[in-house]
Amino acid sequence: MNILSIDLEDWFHILAHEETAQPHQWEKFESRVERNTEWILEQLSIADQRATFFCLGWIAKRNRNLIRRIVDSGHEVACHSMNHRLVYKQTPAEFKEDLSACIRLLE
């Protein structure tokens, strides 16, 4: 059995850099997630392999068709939070809302 999981996020979702750390900053960057994910889907299809894509809600909200293509290709989609915030920097209520919002969106 092969097990493969993929974090579906874009290059600017790096939390360690101040200029890319906040969701309100992300709109100004060029997204590469769709192009790169299409390539990954093609490679997985060639290899006849399935994966679980842990998707940011922020990505799903802006790329609904991409999420649909992942599912239609036979892969699983799972939650990787809504806005990529570090769990230890959230209150339990903030974490619950972030997780719930992402799950609702992915469903």
Side-chain angles (χ1 to χ4, degrees), residues 57-73:
W58 191 90
I59 294 288
K61 192 173 186 178
R62 285 154 182 79
N63 299 279
R64 292 179 187 267
N65 291 334
L66 178 61
I67 304 306
R68 175 57 45 210
R69 285 194 297 281
I70 291 168
V71 172
D72 288 348
S73 296

Side-chain angles (χ1 to χ4, degrees), residues 8-9 33-34 37-38 41 53-78 102-103 105-107:
L8 192 60
E9 56 192 58
V33 72
E34 190 163 4
T37 304
E38 291 293 346
L41 289 172
F53 287 75
F54 285 87
C55 182
L56 282 183
W58 191 90
I59 294 288
K61 192 173 186 178
R62 285 154 182 79
N63 299 279
R64 292 179 187 267
N65 291 334
L66 178 61
I67 304 306
R68 175 57 45 210
R69 285 194 297 281
I70 291 168
V71 172
D72 288 348
S73 296
H75 306 285
E76 292 184 330
V77 173
C102 186
I103 291 170
L105 183 63
L106 292 172
E107 287 177 336

Side-chain angles (χ1 to χ4, degrees), residues 57-102:
W58 191 90
I59 294 288
K61 192 173 186 178
R62 285 154 182 79
N63 299 279
R64 292 179 187 267
N65 291 334
L66 178 61
I67 304 306
R68 175 57 45 210
R69 285 194 297 281
I70 291 168
V71 172
D72 288 348
S73 296
H75 306 285
E76 292 184 330
V77 173
C79 176
H80 183 43
S81 84
M82 190 67 184
N83 290 311
H84 210 237
R85 291 185 56 214
L86 297 171
V87 68
Y88 58 83
K89 291 192 174 186
Q90 298 178 64
T91 67
E94 289 171 330
F95 176 72
K96 182 178 179 180
E97 178 51 36
D98 182 86
L99 185 63
S100 297
C102 186

